[in-house]
Amino acid sequence: LPVDVGADVETNLSRAVKALLAALRGDDGRCDEIEAVALASCLRIAYTALGEHYLTVARVTKAARHFSEGVQLFRGLGDAQTAAWLRGRLAFAQATVAARDGGPSPRKHLKARAAVGSLVEALQVFAETVSDEEAGGAATPFPGVATISARHALAEAKRGAARASLALAVMAPPQDAPAALMTAAELAADANDSETAADAHYRLASGGSDDALLHLQRATAFADKAAQESQSRARAVDALSTRCDLATVLLRDASPEAAAKAVQAVLGAEKTLALALSLPESVGRDRATAGALPLVARSLLAKLAESLKRCCRASNDGAALKKAYGAALRLGADLAAGDEPRLCGLLHDLSSELATV
């Protein structure tokens, strides 16, 4: 490409876009059809990369202007997919500004809600072009010089949209928060953003939803997945705490079936607890969360003992349950900080012993 190479990324990309546009216009002589296709492909890469650079350095207003101009440019070039992608990034920039400037006033909230709604709609339009791309066997790169597939780009865009919707829910009036949280949860699940999905479902469970238990169960599953993906001790402790909350909610129901589910909820902590014990201490802001492991472990053990006691009362012939309850009580009598591996061992043993009960 006829572009001067400099140390500044923005300057580089701006020069590339200008040079490619000039070449497509034929400023230095007409190009044939093959050359035009190649130039348009390079322009797509440079143009999208420049927009992502503006977002990365928090020049969101300039990014929005750049994306808006790009929508018209690529529509004129007949590139519907790139135009759809840029429309989605424009909506993301607008949603980012709306969330940043939002507040408790109804007017600001309505503006932010409209921006997130436009973002979700734009992503749906782009998703339709991704399906067409795959059916045709094409592999259009998005965005930027370090190219990724359109499907990967869509997942990343959904991740950003999920977080924007979560931010909207935080500042929304109580009656509007559930819809924003559901949008965040769905987008995050589609994008494999387990941490955001767990957060959204946990907030839905905490908001008094009729499906609070279902949302808490989903929050627990996503939190476990987030811990595995991040390999963070703090995330693992968060997941264990969420599982403890699940057991607490289950135990509010006095039925034997709820107690049995609470037992399984606590036994399901084994893998995440083992992960937390295998990881090094967290640093920075995560250190306090990770440091709560002994407290969370003791709380899990208490929930296990309580749920097993209820199961024993409801069982006519519960030798295995009584044995498990006794083991939980003995461990609870002298469990101290640093004894979490003993709890992990107990959960492992009881999972096998109670599998057929």
Side-chain angles (χ1 to χ4, degrees):
L1 296 175
V3 178
D4 294 332
V5 177
D8 185 82
V9 173
E10 182 179 334
T11 300
N12 254 3
L13 291 171
S14 296
R15 288 175 177 174
V17 169
K18 290 177 182 177
L20 289 163
L21 284 171
L24 280 169
R25 288 194 302 264
D27 292 357
D28 297 323
R30 294 184 61 82
C31 57
D32 60 29
E33 183 176 349
I34 295 177
E35 290 173 332
V37 170
L39 288 169
S41 179
C42 291
L43 176 62
R44 176 181 62 243
I45 294 171
Y47 201 96
T48 55
L50 181 56
E52 296 305 311
H53 171 75
Y54 289 143
L55 288 177
T56 300
V57 297
R59 299 177 68 183
V60 185
T61 302
K62 188 163 186 175
R65 185 168 60 251
H66 177 80
F67 291 136
S68 179
E69 293 170 354
V71 171
Q72 302 305 318
L73 169 64
F74 284 94
R75 279 178 181 168
L77 292 173
D79 187 345
Q81 188 182 56
T82 302
W85 167 258
L86 292 171
R87 181 190 168 205
R89 300 312 277 163
L90 169 62
F92 176 72
Q94 292 169 335
T96 301
V97 171
R100 182 188 64 194
D101 299 339
S105 74
R107 183 182 64 82
K108 288 183 177 180
H109 170 67
L110 288 174
K111 182 179 178 181
R113 186 173 68 182
V116 172
S118 296
L119 172 56
V120 173
E121 180 185 345
L123 289 180
Q124 290 172 343
V125 172
F126 180 66
E128 293 173 3
T129 72
V130 173
S131 298
D132 292 340
E133 168 212 22
E134 289 187 346
T140 307
F142 286 89
V145 175
T147 57
I148 57 178
S149 71
R151 179 161 292 280
H152 186 179
L154 176 61
E156 290 301 316
K158 284 184 176 181
R159 187 185 299 262
R163 293 176 181 177
S165 190
L166 187 60
L168 170 66
V170 170
M171 67 177 180
Q175 67 272 19
D176 292 337
L181 288 171
M182 279 302 303
T183 299
E186 291 167 0
L187 287 169
D190 285 346
N192 291 320
D193 183 354
S194 303
E195 185 175 346
T196 301
D199 193 354
H201 279 295
Y202 191 89
R203 290 174 185 272
L204 281 164
S206 303
S209 165
D210 292 338
D211 297 322
L213 179 58
L214 176 62
H215 286 301
L216 191 52
Q217 289 169 331
R218 290 178 178 173
T220 301
F222 278 117
D224 282 342
K225 188 177 178 184
Q228 293 291 335
E229 291 170 348
S230 67
Q231 292 292 293
S232 161
R233 187 168 189 171
R235 299 287 78 74
V237 174
D238 275 338
L240 292 170
S241 180
T242 302
R243 188 170 286 277
C244 191
D245 290 341
L246 173 59
T248 299
V249 171
L250 286 167
L251 287 171
R252 289 174 185 167
D253 184 340
S255 69
E257 293 79 13
K261 290 179 181 179
V263 170
Q264 293 305 315
V266 177
L267 294 182
E270 180 199 345
K271 186 175 180 181
T272 302
L273 178 56
L275 174 67
L277 294 171
S278 70
L279 295 171
E281 291 285 349
S282 298
V283 297
R285 290 181 297 177
D286 286 344
R287 188 169 186 176
T289 301
L293 180 58
L295 182 62
V296 173
R298 178 165 287 279
S299 182
L300 279 169
L301 182 57
K303 302 300 178 189
L304 178 63
E306 175 62 25
S307 54
L308 284 169
K309 180 172 73 172
R310 294 190 189 182
C311 288
C312 289
R313 288 175 177 173
S315 176
N316 294 325
D317 183 19
L321 288 170
K322 291 177 181 178
K323 179 181 177 182
Y325 176 48
L329 288 179
R330 287 191 296 274
L331 180 58
D334 64 351
L335 186 71
D339 286 343
E340 292 77 25
R342 294 173 61 198
L343 173 59
C344 194
L346 177 65
L347 296 179
H348 177 79
D349 293 342
L350 295 188
S351 295
S352 300
E353 294 172 7
L354 300 178
T356 57
V357 175

